[in-house]
Amino acid sequence: MYTGLVFLAVILGSIIFHVWTPWWWTDIASNWSAMDDTIILSFWIGGGVFILVCLFMVYCIFKYQYKEGRRSEYKPEDKKLEKGLTWLTTIGVVALLAPGLVVWNNYIRVPDNAIHVEVVAWQWGWKYRLPGKDGKLGTSSNKIISDDNPYGLNIDDPNGKDDVFVESNELHLLNNRPVKILLRSIDVLHNFYVPQFRSKMDAVPGTITYYWFEPNKIGEYEVLCAEYCGVAHYAMRGKVVVEDEKNYNKWLAERETFSSFTAKNRNNKLNKKKLVKINNLSSNKNSILRKQDVR
Ligand code: CUA
C-alpha cells in the first residue's frame, strides 16, 4: 500500500523535475538541430515507458494486495501476452534507433564547399592545421613529427607546402560555412567537442576520423575534450571563434604556413650555430652560455 504511494510520488516527482529542470542544453550554434530532435524523441519514448511501467506496478500493488484466503494463479506461459510485448518492444527500439541512422548518414556526408580543418589532439591540448590557397591538406604521419616538423607533414607532398599552422588552442571558423573536422591524435584517445555545435567525435591515434558541421552564430565557444585521456583531461580546453569573412581572413593571414615555418626554423638554426661558435671561441670555464645549452 505505502509502496504504491511511493511509486506514485516517484512518477510525479520525475515529471515535475523535468518541467522545472535546472539542467538543459546550451543554445545551439550549428546546423545540427537534428541531434536535439533525436534526443527529445528518445526522451519521450524512454520517459513514456518509464511512466507506464511504474503505473502498472502501482496498479498491481493496489489490486493484488494481501487478502486472506486468496491464492496466486500459476501461469508459466501466455503466448498472446508475449507476442504483444515482443512487438511493442520491437517498435519502440526501431523508433529509438532509426532516426539516429538517418542523422548519422548526414553527419558523415560532408558538403562539397566545406573548409577542411585538421584538429591535432595531444596530452593535453589542441592545435590545428588548415589548407592553404589550394584548399587541400598535405598528407602527414605521426611517425615523422619532430621539432622541425611539428605536424609530421610529408615533405614530398606539394599540397602541404602552403598548409597553415595554428599552434594554439584557439581556432577561428567562418560563420555560415560548413567545416569538415579531420581528427588526429598523437598519443591516446581524445574527443573534440563544442557543446553548442552539437557534434563530436573521438580522435584515434593511428587513423583520421571526421565529421562536419556548419557554425551559424557568431561568437566564442569553449572546446572540451570529451574522452577521458589522463590526469589533465579536465584541463584540455580550447576555444573556437566563429566570425564573419573579414575578421576570419585577417586571422588566417596572420598564421604561419609550413614553408614559412621551415624557413624560419632554418634561420634560427643558423643563428644558433653562430652562437655556439662564438661561445667556443671564448672557451672560458666560467662562461654562462655553454655548448650544451644551445640546441
Ligand atoms: Cu583529451 Cu580528454
Side-chain angles (χ1 to χ4, degrees), residues 121-126 187-191 224-230 232-234 236:
W122 50 278
Q123 279 174 318
W124 287 273
W126 309 98
D187 36 52
V188 299
L189 289 179
H190 300 277
N191 191 311
L224 308 169
C225 178
E227 187 67 75
Y228 183 65
C229 56
H233 158 73
Y234 72 95
M236 198 168 157

Side-chain angles (χ1 to χ4, degrees), residues 4 10 32 93 124 126 132-133 139 185 193 198 208 270 277 285:
V10 167
W32 288 121
V93 171
W124 287 273
W126 309 98
K133 296 212 165 58
T139 50
S185 168
Y193 180 41
R198 300 292 194 272
I208 293 172
L270 282 174
K277 267 186 193 159
K285 270 183 191 164

